């Protein structure tokens, strides 16, 4: 049907007879007989000069035949790759008529998201989405090649499984053949990839679909894709290398440039300096330790286990209202209050609380924060985790650049704690998942219990890109004795462990190699590479924020017979 793609015609093609196919992007009448038609396909648009009147409308699907020619002087369009040429003496064959599109297809027009998703097939015709899906395909291809080159075998693991604990709620599927029983959809292939290691596959990878029933956000959909990998007889260093190689290949495939080696930061440093385990290192505003400076302070609000501050360069011009708003934010994030100080021309500090601080403390503050005239200093005093959390969030709200700025800053965060907190009953909560190997030097703390558990480092690591957690991984526990101990601490009793992961524990009895792995979110990587704030822009058919699909109307009720067949009866909805 066609000889060329619209967007690929250039001055070199002048004189050629061509046939192109696509959608009518715009149509402008010129006199009675002549019309300029911009024809669009996936490669771009080309202008066609059509002789004779045609009842062409936007989004009609047409085939155009004609001769490529250089546009007349003064009518070239340097903004368009095909802007030097046009298809002249064009004849048009209508292949499909089209109703007027439900929204304009230019990138300049903002359309309500539900409307866009309702007609996603029209939305997909837009440049931006075409480009994003190309980026996505390029990333997938590069990842596959990188993994194959590194000796990994692609293995598909099942979708209908028993639960895999990744800390989210499962999507469940009722079983017709075993009424009253349910499959879980995989939150990740975690348990299966570990079984592959016991199965001697040595190096496994998969571009895996994962499903987690969590509230949707800009960087989270119910279903997402991850590059999932696992390898035997390796430790953390090798996994970091395998993963970095794949990510760097993917970045290079999209941008044409290969970023340098990925730097590493410990979890502890990330928390202390950025107040986050996924620090956005594109900008400063680092958290500065001030606890020692105020160890003997007379100011009650600073008599706390931890005091930290950040310096906002040039921030002293904020109004009282703006400062009050910052204080409200800090309280919303969990602080009791926020102390602000403005740095005057002579580097003295103006603040409602300055009178409660000694000269030594004030001078010490200026030094520690390297304060310069015109800066704003923000201080929080509280328990250490609260201080880090609050200042970490304030830092982001004050300094985070738009997604398209600051380059791509990949970062490994290593030495995560094994447990992130203790619950009401004093039981630890896994920071990663329960199969994560504790750090060898900290293994003895497993027997101590209580607060000491929180000091156990694990062999878990995250990959962070511009403040987004791209993925996580760990060295796994391959010894049943350590696994039982961790389960016991987590309150997973023998019985529960047997029902939930009995198959894994049993498998380990038949010869488990030491193994380690990683998984990172492809949607997030692609979004950042495509300069998108929201992963929905890089997914062909995403859900709305409320988890629905306006196109297919999913989720939909099912009829009574289908329910009966599944052995299910619905309760009236609870509000
Ligand atoms: N299964 C983990 C996740 O999906 C990744 C891993 O530990 O390999 O986050």
């Amino acid at each position: 049907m066609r000889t060329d793609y619209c967007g690929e015609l250039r001055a070199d093609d002048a004189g050629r007879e061509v046939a192109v196919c696509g959608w009518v992007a715009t149509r402008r009448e010129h006199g009675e007989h002549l019309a300029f038609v911009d024809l669009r396909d996936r490669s771009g648009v080309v202008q066609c000069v059509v002789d004779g009147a045609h009842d062409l409308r936007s989004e009609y699907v047409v085939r155009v035949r004609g001769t490529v020619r250089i546009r007349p002087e003064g009518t070239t369009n340097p903004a368009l790759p095909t802007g030097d040429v046009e298809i002249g003496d064009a004849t048009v064959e209508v292949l499909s008529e089209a109703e007027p599109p439900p929204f304009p297809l230019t990138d300049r027009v903002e359309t309500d998201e539900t409307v866009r998703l309702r007609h996603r097939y029209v939305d997909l015709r837009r440049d931006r989405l075409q480009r994003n899906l190309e980026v996505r395909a390029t990333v997938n291809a590069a990842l596959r090649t990188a993994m194959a080159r590194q000796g990994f075998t692609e293995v598909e693991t099942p979708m209908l499984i028993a639960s895999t604990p990744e800390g989210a709620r499962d999507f469940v599927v009722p079983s017709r053949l075993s009424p009253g029983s349910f499959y879980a959809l995989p939150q990740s292939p975690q348990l299966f990839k570990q079984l592959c290691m016991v199965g001697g596959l040595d190096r496994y990878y998969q571009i895996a679909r994962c499903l987690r029933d969590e509230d949707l956000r800009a960087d989270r959909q119910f279903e997402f894709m991850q590059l999932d990998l696992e390898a035997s007889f390796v430790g953390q260093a090798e996994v970091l290398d395998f993963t970095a190689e794949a990510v760097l290949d993917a970045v290079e495939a999209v941008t044409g440039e290969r970023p340098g080696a990925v730097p590493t930061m410990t979890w502890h440093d990330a928390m202390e300096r950025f107040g986050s385990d996924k620090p956005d290192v594109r900008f400063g505003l680092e958290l500065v330790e001030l606890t020692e400076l105020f160890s003997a302070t007379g100011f009650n609000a600073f008599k706390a286990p931890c005091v930290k501050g950040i310096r906002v360069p040039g921030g002293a011009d904020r109004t009282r209202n703006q400062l009050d708003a910052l204080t409200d934010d800090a309280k919303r994030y969990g602080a009791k209050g926020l102390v602000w100080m403005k740095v005057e021309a002579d580097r003295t500090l103006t603040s409602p609380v300055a009178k409660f601080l000694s000269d030594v403390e004030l001078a010490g503050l200026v030094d520690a924060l390297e304060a310069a005239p015109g800066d704003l200093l923000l201080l929080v005093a509280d328990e250490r985790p609260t201080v880090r959390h609050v200042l970490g969030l304030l830092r982001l709200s004050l300094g985070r650049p738009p997604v398209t700025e600051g380059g791509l800053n990949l970062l490994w965060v290593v030495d995560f704690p094994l447990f992130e907190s203790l619950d009401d009953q004093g039981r630890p909560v896994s920071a990663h998942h329960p199969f994560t190997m504790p750090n060898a030097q900290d293994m003895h703390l497993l027997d101590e219990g209580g607060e000491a558990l929180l000091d156990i480092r694990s062999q878990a690591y995250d990959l962070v890109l511009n403040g987004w957690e791209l993925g996580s991984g760990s060295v796994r526990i391959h010894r049943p004795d350590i696994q039982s101990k961790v389960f016991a601490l987590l309150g997973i009793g023998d019985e529960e462990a047997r029902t939930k992961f009995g198959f894994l524990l049993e498998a380990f009895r038949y010869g488990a190699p030491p193994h380690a792995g990683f998984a990172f979110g492809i949607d997030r990587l692609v979004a950042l590479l495509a300069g998108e704030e929201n992963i929905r822009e890089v997914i062909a058919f995403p859900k709305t924020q409320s988890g629905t699909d306006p196109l297919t109307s999913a989720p939909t009720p099912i009829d009574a017979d289908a329910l009966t067949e599944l052995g299910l009866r619905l309760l009236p909805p609870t509000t």
Side-chain angles (χ1 to χ4, degrees), residues 285 309-318 322-323 326 338-343 349-350 369 371-379 398:
L285 298 185
I310 55 180
R311 174 177 80 95
V312 188
D317 56 0
R318 282 194 168 64
Q322 290 170 321
L323 292 167
L326 277 179
L338 177 72
V339 165
W340 56 262
M341 303 187 166
K342 292 182 173 183
V343 187
L349 299 174
T350 311
L369 284 155
D375 290 348
L376 175 71
L377 311 183
L378 299 173
L379 280 69
L398 290 166

PDB file of all heavy atoms in Angstrom, residues 285 309-318 322-323 326 338-343 349-350 369 371-379 398:
ATOM      1  N   LEU A 285      21.016  21.044  49.498  1.00  0.00           N
ATOM      2  CA  LEU A 285      20.103  21.152  50.647  1.00  0.00           C
ATOM      3  C   LEU A 285      20.253  19.953  51.584  1.00  0.00           C
ATOM      4  O   LEU A 285      19.277  19.413  52.088  1.00  0.00           O
ATOM      5  CB  LEU A 285      18.637  21.255  50.208  1.00  0.00           C
ATOM      6  CG  LEU A 285      18.178  22.435  49.353  1.00  0.00           C
ATOM      7  CD1 LEU A 285      16.667  22.394  49.151  1.00  0.00           C
ATOM      8  CD2 LEU A 285      18.561  23.752  49.983  1.00  0.00           C
ATOM      9  N   GLY A 309      19.655  20.396  60.611  1.00  0.00           N
ATOM     10  CA  GLY A 309      19.163  21.566  59.899  1.00  0.00           C
ATOM     11  C   GLY A 309      19.521  21.507  58.426  1.00  0.00           C
ATOM     12  O   GLY A 309      20.377  20.731  58.017  1.00  0.00           O
ATOM     13  N   ILE A 310      18.819  22.303  57.634  1.00  0.00           N
ATOM     14  CA  ILE A 310      19.226  22.487  56.242  1.00  0.00           C
ATOM     15  C   ILE A 310      19.333  23.979  55.938  1.00  0.00           C
ATOM     16  O   ILE A 310      18.686  24.805  56.573  1.00  0.00           O
ATOM     17  CB  ILE A 310      18.265  21.830  55.214  1.00  0.00           C
ATOM     18  CG1 ILE A 310      16.818  22.302  55.392  1.00  0.00           C
ATOM     19  CG2 ILE A 310      18.312  20.331  55.288  1.00  0.00           C
ATOM     20  CD1 ILE A 310      15.859  21.653  54.381  1.00  0.00           C
ATOM     21  N   ARG A 311      20.204  24.286  55.001  1.00  0.00           N
ATOM     22  CA  ARG A 311      20.413  25.675  54.596  1.00  0.00           C
ATOM     23  C   ARG A 311      19.807  25.864  53.222  1.00  0.00           C
ATOM     24  O   ARG A 311      20.144  25.135  52.288  1.00  0.00           O
ATOM     25  CB  ARG A 311      21.915  25.952  54.524  1.00  0.00           C
ATOM     26  CG  ARG A 311      22.268  27.314  53.970  1.00  0.00           C
ATOM     27  CD  ARG A 311      23.770  27.512  54.014  1.00  0.00           C
ATOM     28  NE  ARG A 311      24.439  26.850  52.908  1.00  0.00           N
ATOM     29  CZ  ARG A 311      24.757  27.455  51.766  1.00  0.00           C
ATOM     30  NH1 ARG A 311      24.444  28.736  51.565  1.00  0.00           N
ATOM     31  NH2 ARG A 311      25.373  26.794  50.813  1.00  0.00           N
ATOM     32  N   VAL A 312      18.892  26.832  53.134  1.00  0.00           N
ATOM     33  CA  VAL A 312      18.278  27.123  51.839  1.00  0.00           C
ATOM     34  C   VAL A 312      18.949  28.387  51.290  1.00  0.00           C
ATOM     35  O   VAL A 312      18.672  29.490  51.756  1.00  0.00           O
ATOM     36  CB  VAL A 312      16.760  27.366  51.990  1.00  0.00           C
ATOM     37  CG1 VAL A 312      16.094  27.469  50.623  1.00  0.00           C
ATOM     38  CG2 VAL A 312      16.118  26.281  52.843  1.00  0.00           C
ATOM     39  N   PRO A 313      19.851  28.235  50.314  1.00  0.00           N
ATOM     40  CA  PRO A 313      20.578  29.408  49.818  1.00  0.00           C
ATOM     41  C   PRO A 313      19.598  30.456  49.283  1.00  0.00           C
ATOM     42  O   PRO A 313      18.670  30.125  48.546  1.00  0.00           O
ATOM     43  CB  PRO A 313      21.439  28.844  48.685  1.00  0.00           C
ATOM     44  CG  PRO A 313      21.529  27.376  48.949  1.00  0.00           C
ATOM     45  CD  PRO A 313      20.248  26.995  49.622  1.00  0.00           C
ATOM     46  N   GLY A 314      19.811  31.706  49.730  1.00  0.00           N
ATOM     47  CA  GLY A 314      18.968  32.803  49.244  1.00  0.00           C
ATOM     48  C   GLY A 314      17.519  32.713  49.693  1.00  0.00           C
ATOM     49  O   GLY A 314      16.655  33.403  49.165  1.00  0.00           O
ATOM     50  N   GLY A 315      17.239  31.878  50.712  1.00  0.00           N
ATOM     51  CA  GLY A 315      15.843  31.658  51.103  1.00  0.00           C
ATOM     52  C   GLY A 315      15.285  32.658  52.092  1.00  0.00           C
ATOM     53  O   GLY A 315      14.113  32.561  52.488  1.00  0.00           O
ATOM     54  N   ALA A 316      16.124  33.642  52.494  1.00  0.00           N
ATOM     55  CA  ALA A 316      15.691  34.540  53.566  1.00  0.00           C
ATOM     56  C   ALA A 316      14.610  35.525  53.136  1.00  0.00           C
ATOM     57  O   ALA A 316      14.033  36.228  53.971  1.00  0.00           O
ATOM     58  CB  ALA A 316      16.905  35.314  54.106  1.00  0.00           C
ATOM     59  N   ASP A 317      14.333  35.584  51.829  1.00  0.00           N
ATOM     60  CA  ASP A 317      13.314  36.548  51.410  1.00  0.00           C
ATOM     61  C   ASP A 317      11.907  35.981  51.558  1.00  0.00           C
ATOM     62  O   ASP A 317      10.932  36.601  51.136  1.00  0.00           O
ATOM     63  CB  ASP A 317      13.574  37.010  49.967  1.00  0.00           C
ATOM     64  CG  ASP A 317      13.632  35.841  49.003  1.00  0.00           C
ATOM     65  OD1 ASP A 317      13.461  34.677  49.472  1.00  0.00           O
ATOM     66  OD2 ASP A 317      13.866  36.073  47.796  1.00  0.00           O
ATOM     67  N   ARG A 318      11.785  34.842  52.157  1.00  0.00           N
ATOM     68  CA  ARG A 318      10.432  34.279  52.340  1.00  0.00           C
ATOM     69  C   ARG A 318       9.635  35.125  53.321  1.00  0.00           C
ATOM     70  O   ARG A 318      10.163  35.603  54.320  1.00  0.00           O
ATOM     71  CB  ARG A 318      10.525  32.849  52.851  1.00  0.00           C
ATOM     72  CG  ARG A 318      10.858  31.879  51.740  1.00  0.00           C
ATOM     73  CD  ARG A 318      10.624  30.456  52.185  1.00  0.00           C
ATOM     74  NE  ARG A 318      10.655  29.531  51.061  1.00  0.00           N
ATOM     75  CZ  ARG A 318      11.711  29.301  50.300  1.00  0.00           C
ATOM     76  NH1 ARG A 318      12.823  29.967  50.508  1.00  0.00           N
ATOM     77  NH2 ARG A 318      11.657  28.432  49.307  1.00  0.00           N
ATOM     78  N   GLN A 322       4.775  32.471  54.150  1.00  0.00           N
ATOM     79  CA  GLN A 322       5.442  31.316  53.535  1.00  0.00           C
ATOM     80  C   GLN A 322       6.140  30.470  54.589  1.00  0.00           C
ATOM     81  O   GLN A 322       6.140  29.240  54.524  1.00  0.00           O
ATOM     82  CB  GLN A 322       6.455  31.785  52.477  1.00  0.00           C
ATOM     83  CG  GLN A 322       5.783  32.358  51.243  1.00  0.00           C
ATOM     84  CD  GLN A 322       6.783  33.031  50.309  1.00  0.00           C
ATOM     85  OE1 GLN A 322       7.729  33.698  50.752  1.00  0.00           O
ATOM     86  NE2 GLN A 322       6.578  32.864  49.014  1.00  0.00           N
ATOM     87  N   LEU A 323       6.720  31.152  55.589  1.00  0.00           N
ATOM     88  CA  LEU A 323       7.409  30.409  56.654  1.00  0.00           C
ATOM     89  C   LEU A 323       6.393  29.633  57.494  1.00  0.00           C
ATOM     90  O   LEU A 323       6.643  28.502  57.913  1.00  0.00           O
ATOM     91  CB  LEU A 323       8.223  31.360  57.526  1.00  0.00           C
ATOM     92  CG  LEU A 323       9.422  31.983  56.787  1.00  0.00           C
ATOM     93  CD1 LEU A 323      10.013  33.145  57.579  1.00  0.00           C
ATOM     94  CD2 LEU A 323      10.485  30.927  56.522  1.00  0.00           C
ATOM     95  N   LEU A 326       5.571  26.555  55.672  1.00  0.00           N
ATOM     96  CA  LEU A 326       6.620  25.539  55.831  1.00  0.00           C
ATOM     97  C   LEU A 326       6.494  24.840  57.181  1.00  0.00           C
ATOM     98  O   LEU A 326       6.660  23.623  57.299  1.00  0.00           O
ATOM     99  CB  LEU A 326       8.008  26.188  55.747  1.00  0.00           C
ATOM    100  CG  LEU A 326       8.581  26.446  54.367  1.00  0.00           C
ATOM    101  CD1 LEU A 326       9.956  27.115  54.488  1.00  0.00           C
ATOM    102  CD2 LEU A 326       8.716  25.134  53.586  1.00  0.00           C
ATOM    103  N   LEU A 338       8.914  23.707  63.637  1.00  0.00           N
ATOM    104  CA  LEU A 338      10.041  23.967  62.738  1.00  0.00           C
ATOM    105  C   LEU A 338      10.657  25.284  63.179  1.00  0.00           C
ATOM    106  O   LEU A 338       9.946  26.259  63.393  1.00  0.00           O
ATOM    107  CB  LEU A 338       9.527  24.094  61.297  1.00  0.00           C
ATOM    108  CG  LEU A 338      10.554  24.442  60.232  1.00  0.00           C
ATOM    109  CD1 LEU A 338      11.479  23.258  59.961  1.00  0.00           C
ATOM    110  CD2 LEU A 338       9.853  24.841  58.915  1.00  0.00           C
ATOM    111  N   VAL A 339      11.973  25.283  63.357  1.00  0.00           N
ATOM    112  CA  VAL A 339      12.650  26.539  63.700  1.00  0.00           C
ATOM    113  C   VAL A 339      13.259  27.103  62.424  1.00  0.00           C
ATOM    114  O   VAL A 339      13.948  26.390  61.698  1.00  0.00           O
ATOM    115  CB  VAL A 339      13.747  26.291  64.756  1.00  0.00           C
ATOM    116  CG1 VAL A 339      14.681  27.494  64.852  1.00  0.00           C
ATOM    117  CG2 VAL A 339      13.114  25.986  66.104  1.00  0.00           C
ATOM    118  N   TRP A 340      12.943  28.380  62.138  1.00  0.00           N
ATOM    119  CA  TRP A 340      13.576  29.002  60.967  1.00  0.00           C
ATOM    120  C   TRP A 340      14.442  30.164  61.406  1.00  0.00           C
ATOM    121  O   TRP A 340      14.188  30.803  62.439  1.00  0.00           O
ATOM    122  CB  TRP A 340      12.535  29.441  59.939  1.00  0.00           C
ATOM    123  CG  TRP A 340      11.468  30.375  60.419  1.00  0.00           C
ATOM    124  CD1 TRP A 340      10.206  30.039  60.799  1.00  0.00           C
ATOM    125  CD2 TRP A 340      11.581  31.797  60.599  1.00  0.00           C
ATOM    126  NE1 TRP A 340       9.515  31.151  61.190  1.00  0.00           N
ATOM    127  CE2 TRP A 340      10.340  32.251  61.077  1.00  0.00           C
ATOM    128  CE3 TRP A 340      12.597  32.739  60.409  1.00  0.00           C
ATOM    129  CZ2 TRP A 340      10.079  33.597  61.372  1.00  0.00           C
ATOM    130  CZ3 TRP A 340      12.346  34.075  60.689  1.00  0.00           C
ATOM    131  CH2 TRP A 340      11.090  34.483  61.165  1.00  0.00           C
ATOM    132  N   MET A 341      15.472  30.427  60.650  1.00  0.00           N
ATOM    133  CA  MET A 341      16.370  31.543  60.938  1.00  0.00           C
ATOM    134  C   MET A 341      16.797  32.171  59.632  1.00  0.00           C
ATOM    135  O   MET A 341      17.066  31.466  58.668  1.00  0.00           O
ATOM    136  CB  MET A 341      17.622  31.033  61.652  1.00  0.00           C
ATOM    137  CG  MET A 341      17.291  30.285  62.916  1.00  0.00           C
ATOM    138  SD  MET A 341      18.772  29.895  63.805  1.00  0.00           S
ATOM    139  CE  MET A 341      18.045  29.427  65.358  1.00  0.00           C
ATOM    140  N   LYS A 342      16.855  33.501  59.661  1.00  0.00           N
ATOM    141  CA  LYS A 342      17.328  34.195  58.464  1.00  0.00           C
ATOM    142  C   LYS A 342      18.745  34.691  58.723  1.00  0.00           C
ATOM    143  O   LYS A 342      19.037  35.187  59.813  1.00  0.00           O
ATOM    144  CB  LYS A 342      16.415  35.380  58.155  1.00  0.00           C
ATOM    145  CG  LYS A 342      15.023  34.930  57.719  1.00  0.00           C
ATOM    146  CD  LYS A 342      14.146  36.115  57.378  1.00  0.00           C
ATOM    147  CE  LYS A 342      12.836  35.604  56.773  1.00  0.00           C
ATOM    148  NZ  LYS A 342      11.962  36.700  56.349  1.00  0.00           N
ATOM    149  N   VAL A 343      19.594  34.551  57.718  1.00  0.00           N
ATOM    150  CA  VAL A 343      20.986  34.981  57.881  1.00  0.00           C
ATOM    151  C   VAL A 343      21.119  36.413  57.364  1.00  0.00           C
ATOM    152  O   VAL A 343      20.855  36.685  56.193  1.00  0.00           O
ATOM    153  CB  VAL A 343      21.947  34.043  57.120  1.00  0.00           C
ATOM    154  CG1 VAL A 343      23.389  34.401  57.426  1.00  0.00           C
ATOM    155  CG2 VAL A 343      21.651  32.581  57.461  1.00  0.00           C
ATOM    156  N   LEU A 349      21.953  35.913  63.063  1.00  0.00           N
ATOM    157  CA  LEU A 349      20.731  35.196  62.731  1.00  0.00           C
ATOM    158  C   LEU A 349      19.506  35.884  63.306  1.00  0.00           C
ATOM    159  O   LEU A 349      19.503  36.288  64.475  1.00  0.00           O
ATOM    160  CB  LEU A 349      20.808  33.764  63.290  1.00  0.00           C
ATOM    161  CG  LEU A 349      21.948  32.912  62.729  1.00  0.00           C
ATOM    162  CD1 LEU A 349      22.036  31.563  63.440  1.00  0.00           C
ATOM    163  CD2 LEU A 349      21.764  32.703  61.229  1.00  0.00           C
ATOM    164  N   THR A 350      18.483  36.036  62.493  1.00  0.00           N
ATOM    165  CA  THR A 350      17.203  36.561  62.963  1.00  0.00           C
ATOM    166  C   THR A 350      16.210  35.403  63.030  1.00  0.00           C
ATOM    167  O   THR A 350      16.052  34.677  62.056  1.00  0.00           O
ATOM    168  CB  THR A 350      16.626  37.569  61.948  1.00  0.00           C
ATOM    169  OG1 THR A 350      17.647  38.476  61.622  1.00  0.00           O
ATOM    170  CG2 THR A 350      15.423  38.302  62.522  1.00  0.00           C
ATOM    171  N   LEU A 369      26.368  25.096  59.258  1.00  0.00           N
ATOM    172  CA  LEU A 369      25.542  25.113  58.045  1.00  0.00           C
ATOM    173  C   LEU A 369      26.175  25.933  56.919  1.00  0.00           C
ATOM    174  O   LEU A 369      25.598  26.072  55.839  1.00  0.00           O
ATOM    175  CB  LEU A 369      24.149  25.653  58.373  1.00  0.00           C
ATOM    176  CG  LEU A 369      23.254  24.652  59.113  1.00  0.00           C
ATOM    177  CD1 LEU A 369      22.184  25.352  59.923  1.00  0.00           C
ATOM    178  CD2 LEU A 369      22.619  23.683  58.141  1.00  0.00           C
ATOM    179  N   ALA A 371      26.472  29.043  56.640  1.00  0.00           N
ATOM    180  CA  ALA A 371      25.433  30.003  56.271  1.00  0.00           C
ATOM    181  C   ALA A 371      26.031  31.270  55.664  1.00  0.00           C
ATOM    182  O   ALA A 371      27.048  31.767  56.126  1.00  0.00           O
ATOM    183  CB  ALA A 371      24.612  30.354  57.498  1.00  0.00           C
ATOM    184  N   ALA A 372      25.390  31.782  54.641  1.00  0.00           N
ATOM    185  CA  ALA A 372      25.820  33.024  54.001  1.00  0.00           C
ATOM    186  C   ALA A 372      24.663  34.020  54.068  1.00  0.00           C
ATOM    187  O   ALA A 372      23.504  33.615  54.189  1.00  0.00           O
ATOM    188  CB  ALA A 372      26.203  32.748  52.556  1.00  0.00           C
ATOM    189  N   PRO A 373      24.986  35.313  53.988  1.00  0.00           N
ATOM    190  CA  PRO A 373      23.930  36.322  54.056  1.00  0.00           C
ATOM    191  C   PRO A 373      22.811  36.017  53.041  1.00  0.00           C
ATOM    192  O   PRO A 373      23.095  35.626  51.909  1.00  0.00           O
ATOM    193  CB  PRO A 373      24.657  37.619  53.687  1.00  0.00           C
ATOM    194  CG  PRO A 373      26.069  37.384  54.095  1.00  0.00           C
ATOM    195  CD  PRO A 373      26.332  35.926  53.895  1.00  0.00           C
ATOM    196  N   GLY A 374      21.577  36.164  53.503  1.00  0.00           N
ATOM    197  CA  GLY A 374      20.440  35.939  52.604  1.00  0.00           C
ATOM    198  C   GLY A 374      19.920  34.510  52.652  1.00  0.00           C
ATOM    199  O   GLY A 374      18.896  34.195  52.040  1.00  0.00           O
ATOM    200  N   ASP A 375      20.618  33.619  53.383  1.00  0.00           N
ATOM    201  CA  ASP A 375      20.154  32.223  53.460  1.00  0.00           C
ATOM    202  C   ASP A 375      19.040  32.082  54.487  1.00  0.00           C
ATOM    203  O   ASP A 375      18.894  32.899  55.396  1.00  0.00           O
ATOM    204  CB  ASP A 375      21.297  31.292  53.887  1.00  0.00           C
ATOM    205  CG  ASP A 375      22.356  31.138  52.805  1.00  0.00           C
ATOM    206  OD1 ASP A 375      22.080  31.562  51.664  1.00  0.00           O
ATOM    207  OD2 ASP A 375      23.432  30.609  53.119  1.00  0.00           O
ATOM    208  N   LEU A 376      18.312  31.006  54.329  1.00  0.00           N
ATOM    209  CA  LEU A 376      17.310  30.614  55.323  1.00  0.00           C
ATOM    210  C   LEU A 376      17.768  29.285  55.919  1.00  0.00           C
ATOM    211  O   LEU A 376      18.191  28.389  55.195  1.00  0.00           O
ATOM    212  CB  LEU A 376      15.954  30.438  54.636  1.00  0.00           C
ATOM    213  CG  LEU A 376      14.813  29.920  55.511  1.00  0.00           C
ATOM    214  CD1 LEU A 376      14.363  30.998  56.502  1.00  0.00           C
ATOM    215  CD2 LEU A 376      13.629  29.477  54.634  1.00  0.00           C
ATOM    216  N   LEU A 377      17.721  29.188  57.266  1.00  0.00           N
ATOM    217  CA  LEU A 377      18.088  27.925  57.922  1.00  0.00           C
ATOM    218  C   LEU A 377      16.823  27.321  58.512  1.00  0.00           C
ATOM    219  O   LEU A 377      16.012  28.020  59.108  1.00  0.00           O
ATOM    220  CB  LEU A 377      19.112  28.173  59.034  1.00  0.00           C
ATOM    221  CG  LEU A 377      20.323  29.039  58.668  1.00  0.00           C
ATOM    222  CD1 LEU A 377      21.279  29.139  59.862  1.00  0.00           C
ATOM    223  CD2 LEU A 377      21.049  28.471  57.448  1.00  0.00           C
ATOM    224  N   LEU A 378      16.659  26.024  58.330  1.00  0.00           N
ATOM    225  CA  LEU A 378      15.485  25.333  58.875  1.00  0.00           C
ATOM    226  C   LEU A 378      15.967  24.209  59.781  1.00  0.00           C
ATOM    227  O   LEU A 378      16.803  23.392  59.378  1.00  0.00           O
ATOM    228  CB  LEU A 378      14.640  24.742  57.743  1.00  0.00           C
ATOM    229  CG  LEU A 378      14.088  25.740  56.742  1.00  0.00           C
ATOM    230  CD1 LEU A 378      13.403  25.035  55.574  1.00  0.00           C
ATOM    231  CD2 LEU A 378      13.105  26.704  57.421  1.00  0.00           C
ATOM    232  N   LEU A 379      15.467  24.178  61.022  1.00  0.00           N
ATOM    233  CA  LEU A 379      15.941  23.203  61.994  1.00  0.00           C
ATOM    234  C   LEU A 379      14.785  22.402  62.579  1.00  0.00           C
ATOM    235  O   LEU A 379      13.705  22.954  62.840  1.00  0.00           O
ATOM    236  CB  LEU A 379      16.672  23.909  63.154  1.00  0.00           C
ATOM    237  CG  LEU A 379      18.123  24.346  62.914  1.00  0.00           C
ATOM    238  CD1 LEU A 379      18.195  25.485  61.928  1.00  0.00           C
ATOM    239  CD2 LEU A 379      18.762  24.733  64.235  1.00  0.00           C
ATOM    240  N   LEU A 398      11.364  21.860  48.788  1.00  0.00           N
ATOM    241  CA  LEU A 398      12.044  23.135  48.529  1.00  0.00           C
ATOM    242  C   LEU A 398      12.957  23.100  47.310  1.00  0.00           C
ATOM    243  O   LEU A 398      13.176  24.116  46.670  1.00  0.00           O
ATOM    244  CB  LEU A 398      12.889  23.531  49.747  1.00  0.00           C
ATOM    245  CG  LEU A 398      12.097  23.952  50.971  1.00  0.00           C
ATOM    246  CD1 LEU A 398      12.986  23.990  52.207  1.00  0.00           C
ATOM    247  CD2 LEU A 398      11.461  25.320  50.735  1.00  0.00           C
TER     248      LEU A 398
END
